[in-house]
């Protein structure tokens, strides 16, 4: 039979973290206040009980002294020409209203003359409402005194005076309960006020947390209002200065990236022009000369002519391969149609070319209401991002359908900027998705760098077995062409 596993009690550190460190600053401040309030309440309760015990003992002692004095006075006033039985009966009736004590009149034999009197009904009811623990803390030790009654030098009986502190304890409990109820109400009201006050005082810290979250999302235009508290004002000032510096650095970084990509595109454009204007005509000239040589060799009949014809045929094959390579390099460096043909037509031709090469994949394009061109940088960025996205889908996605959407849209306005027009390219596929543990490749990094250089973004959403969505957003400024 397996042994029962012992209960795993949380460690003091874990318990401390759960009760204290895991809570907000407002909750911690309120907990500190409540703990201090409870300690103060315990101290005040202890002082109240000590004072009540002392006052109760003093009151009981005074009542017993008064009762003894009344008994002595009554004996002195009533002992002349009064029979003993009547005297004792009258004495019992006259002393029954003395507070905080119980009076028992006895005859000479020590037997009570009347049944044991009890405290008044109101005192009994009040005493019954007192909790036992409170009565035990307040009550003094029971004291009693026996006062002899002597008439004409003869002992005719005695009076027993017994302390009865119940009504005094009831008065103390009533006042203590009323004071505690008032204190509890005041403390609850103070805690509520402090809860609201701490929330208002600490609200700038919540704003700082939201601002830091915006900075984490690369929203460097966020600014926090300056609170009145000096310490919190200093924090918000530093935050705003940091956000402003990050915004300036991002602007500089975007400008540098834009210049870098522009320089790269310019270099590619020049290389493509040289390949087109220099290498292309030379290859055409070689092909024409080789063709003329083949024509001349065809008129010869000897074996040398046949060998020459074979060599020329090989040269033409090599020239054809070089021309194919040249066209491929021109297309990779810079599509010659960009800037001369509408952007939509260039992108649709790219998709049609991929569809011809991979007929097992269904491609769909939605690109309406586009301008002819958005400028060389934006056009080339959109083209490269679409080209790279289609390449990734064909190589890795194992997709059956690819949807391409391109269009203009208005960005959502926020507290720092109004909505602006932006160009959005979305490429979705129904493939196997991207492994979350896989590192991003150079193609994706290149797309992100190109989009960020233009002040835009490149976001990839993917889940294993649920396909992939690539979304490129590029803001459109007043200077677009």
């Amino acid at each position: 039979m397996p042994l029962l596993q012992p209960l795993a009690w949380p460690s003091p550190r874990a318990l401390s973290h759960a009760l204290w460190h895991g809570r907000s600053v407002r909750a911690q401040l309120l907990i500190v206040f409540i703990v201090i309030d409870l300690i103060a309440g315990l101290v005040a309760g202890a002082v109240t009980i000590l004072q009540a015990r002392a006052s109760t003992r003093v009151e009981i002692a005074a009542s017993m002294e008064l009762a003894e004095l009344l008994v002595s006075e009554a004996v002195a006033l009533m002992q002349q020409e009064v029979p003993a039985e009547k005297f004792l009966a009258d004495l019992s009736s006259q002393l029954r209203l003395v507070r905080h004590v119980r009076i028992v009149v006895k005859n000479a034999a020590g037997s009570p003359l009347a049944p044991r009197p009890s405290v008044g009904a109101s005192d009994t009811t009040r005493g019954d409402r007192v909790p036992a623990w409170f009565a035990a803390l307040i009550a003094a030790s029971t004291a009693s005194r026996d006062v002899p009654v002597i008439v004409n030098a003869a002992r005719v009986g005695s009076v027993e005076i017994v302390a009865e502190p119940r009504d005094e304890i009831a008065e103390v409990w009533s006042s203590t309960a009323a004071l505690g109820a008032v204190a509890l109400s005041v403390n609850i009201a103070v805690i509520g006020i402090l809860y609201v006050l701490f929330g208002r005082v600490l609200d700038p810290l919540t704003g700082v947390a939201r601002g830091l979250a915006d900075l984490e999302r690369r929203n460097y235009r966020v600014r926090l209002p300056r609170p009145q508290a000096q310490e919190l004002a200093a924090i918000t000032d530093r935050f705003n200065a940091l956000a402003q510096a990050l915004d300036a650095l991002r602007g500089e970084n975007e400008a540098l990236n834009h210049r870098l990509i522009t320089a790269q595109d310019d270099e590619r454009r020049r290389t493509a022009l040289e390949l087109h204007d220099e290498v292309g005509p030379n290859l055409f000239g070689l092909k024409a000369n080789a063709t003329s040589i083949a024509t001349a060799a065809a008129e010869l009949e000897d074996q040398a002519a046949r060998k020459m014809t074979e060599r020329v045929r090989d040269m033409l094959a090599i020239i054809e391969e070089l021309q194919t390579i040249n066209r491929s390099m021109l297309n990779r460096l810079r599509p010659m149609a960009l800037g001369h043909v509408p952007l939509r037509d260039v992108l649709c031709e790219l998709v049609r070319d991929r569809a011809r090469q991979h007929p097992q994949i269904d491609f769909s394009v939605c690109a309406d209401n586009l301008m002819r061109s958005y400028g060389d940088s934006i056009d080339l960025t959109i083209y490269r991002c679409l080209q790279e996205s289609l390449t990734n889908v064909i190589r890795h996605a194992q997709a059956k359908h690819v949807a391409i959407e391109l269009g203009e849209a208005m960005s959502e306005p926020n507290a720092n900027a109004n909505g602006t027009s932006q160009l959005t390219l979305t490429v979705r596929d129904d493939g196997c998705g991207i492994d979350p543990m896989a590192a991003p490749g150079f193609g994706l990094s290149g797309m992100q760098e190109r989009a960020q250089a233009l002040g835009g973004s490149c976001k990839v959403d993917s889940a294993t077995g649920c396909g992939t969505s690539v979304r490129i957003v590029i803001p459109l400024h007043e200077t677009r062409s």
Side-chain angles (χ1 to χ4, degrees):
M1 183 176 180
L3 296 177
L4 294 177
Q5 296 293 333
L7 294 176
W9 294 99
S11 63
R13 178 176 296 180
L15 187 62
S16 173
H17 180 79
L19 296 178
W20 178 255
H21 298 289
R23 300 186 179 275
S24 63
V25 177
R26 175 195 282 187
Q28 290 180 351
L29 291 175
L30 288 177
I31 290 173
V32 170
F33 176 79
I34 292 173
V35 169
I36 294 176
D37 201 23
L38 289 176
I39 294 174
L42 293 175
V43 173
V47 172
T48 301
I49 290 174
L50 292 176
Q51 290 181 345
R53 289 185 65 180
S55 61
T56 300
R57 291 180 179 180
V58 170
E59 185 71 18
I60 295 301
S63 298
M64 294 189 71
E65 293 290 339
L66 177 61
E68 186 176 358
L69 179 62
L70 291 176
V71 169
S72 301
E73 293 292 335
V75 169
L77 292 175
M78 298 179 63
Q79 66 180 343
Q80 298 177 355
E81 298 179 359
V82 177
E85 289 95 2
K86 187 175 184 306
F87 173 75
L88 292 177
D90 292 341
L91 182 61
S92 176
S93 62
Q94 289 191 12
L95 297 177
R96 71 180 185 274
L97 297 180
V98 180
R99 296 186 62 196
H100 306 322
V101 294
R102 178 165 48 87
I103 305 297
V104 180
V105 180
K106 301 178 181 180
N107 56 21
S111 300
L113 294 181
R116 183 177 179 178
S118 59
V119 186
S122 60
D123 291 343
T124 304
T125 303
R126 291 175 61 186
D128 292 340
R129 290 199 299 263
V130 179
W133 61 268
F134 187 82
L137 291 175
I138 300 300
S141 58
T142 303
S144 64
R145 296 182 184 179
D146 196 14
V147 180
V149 178
I150 299 174
V151 178
N152 298 325
R155 181 185 176 106
V156 297
S158 63
V159 177
E160 183 183 10
I161 304 172
V162 182
E164 284 288 350
R166 285 187 297 174
D167 54 346
E168 181 66 18
I169 295 175
E171 292 179 2
V172 174
W173 169 253
S174 178
S175 61
T176 303
L179 181 61
V182 172
L184 181 62
S185 301
V186 171
N187 283 320
I188 291 175
V190 170
I191 291 174
I193 294 173
L194 288 178
Y195 180 84
V196 176
L197 182 61
F198 288 158
R200 293 178 62 88
V201 172
L202 298 174
D203 185 65
L205 293 180
T206 306
V208 171
R210 291 193 297 266
L212 291 175
D214 288 335
L215 292 183
E216 186 178 0
R217 292 190 294 267
R218 297 185 179 182
N219 178 20
Y220 301 133
R221 295 184 179 179
V222 63
R223 299 293 184 272
L224 300 179
R226 196 173 192 272
Q228 296 181 354
Q230 294 182 358
E231 295 82 357
L232 298 178
I235 294 175
T236 55
D237 289 342
R238 299 297 182 272
F239 176 87
N240 291 334
L242 174 62
Q244 184 176 1
L246 290 175
D247 192 19
L249 290 175
R250 181 180 65 175
E252 294 176 1
N253 189 37
E254 290 179 355
L256 290 174
N257 288 335
H258 187 270
R259 285 198 294 269
L260 177 61
I261 291 179
T262 301
Q264 292 175 348
D265 292 339
D266 290 342
E267 184 64 27
R268 290 175 178 175
R269 186 187 304 110
R270 286 192 296 269
T271 304
L273 287 175
E274 290 177 358
L275 289 175
H276 181 271
D277 296 340
E278 300 294 337
V279 178
N282 289 330
L283 290 175
F284 179 77
L286 288 174
K287 185 176 182 181
N289 290 329
T291 303
S292 65
I293 293 173
T295 302
E299 298 176 356
L300 301 176
E301 296 181 356
D302 56 359
Q303 188 175 2
R306 287 194 299 273
K307 291 183 178 180
M308 185 179 298
T309 302
E310 292 176 0
R311 298 296 182 269
V312 169
R313 192 180 300 115
D314 294 339
M315 289 176 61
L316 288 175
I318 294 173
I319 292 172
E320 288 286 348
E321 182 67 21
L322 289 175
Q323 286 181 329
T324 301
I325 295 174
N326 187 51
R327 286 192 295 268
S328 177
M329 291 178 63
L330 285 173
N331 189 52
R332 287 198 302 270
L333 288 171
R334 176 180 173 81
M336 300 305 297
L338 277 180
H340 304 284
V341 179
L343 177 62
R344 183 183 185 279
D345 296 341
V346 176
L347 299 179
C348 289
E349 180 60 29
L350 174 63
V351 176
R352 283 193 294 268
D353 182 61
R354 295 296 186 270
R356 285 192 299 268
Q357 297 172 359
H358 304 277
Q360 75 278 9
I361 303 177
D362 179 28
F363 294 88
S364 63
V365 181
C366 179
D368 299 327
N369 300 323
L370 294 179
M371 296 181 61
R372 179 182 178 88
S373 175
Y374 293 91
D376 189 70
S377 298
I378 295 179
D379 290 352
L380 188 56
T381 296
I382 292 295
Y383 183 88
R384 294 302 186 197
C385 289
L386 178 58
Q387 186 180 45
E388 182 63 30
S389 298
L390 294 179
T391 300
N392 289 335
V393 170
I394 293 169
R395 289 181 178 176
H396 310 293
Q398 302 175 4
K400 295 181 179 179
H401 180 76
V402 180
I404 299 100
E405 298 178 5
L406 178 64
E408 292 189 32
M410 294 297 296
S411 64
E412 293 293 334
N414 51 44
N416 301 304
N418 296 324
T420 58
S421 181
Q422 58 188 17
L423 189 62
T424 303
L425 170 65
T426 305
V427 181
R428 297 187 182 91
D429 67 74
D430 59 353
C432 60
I434 300 176
D435 185 0
M437 302 301 295
F442 292 106
L444 180 58
S445 300
M447 287 193 292
Q448 291 175 341
E449 290 175 359
R450 278 187 169 274
Q452 292 172 4
L454 298 176
S457 62
C458 175
K459 183 178 180 182
V460 179
D461 292 325
S462 179
T464 303
C466 298
T468 303
S469 174
V470 179
R471 179 180 174 86
I472 293 94
V473 178
I474 298 176
L476 300 176
H477 304 287
E478 298 294 335
T479 58
R480 62 183 182 176
S481 56

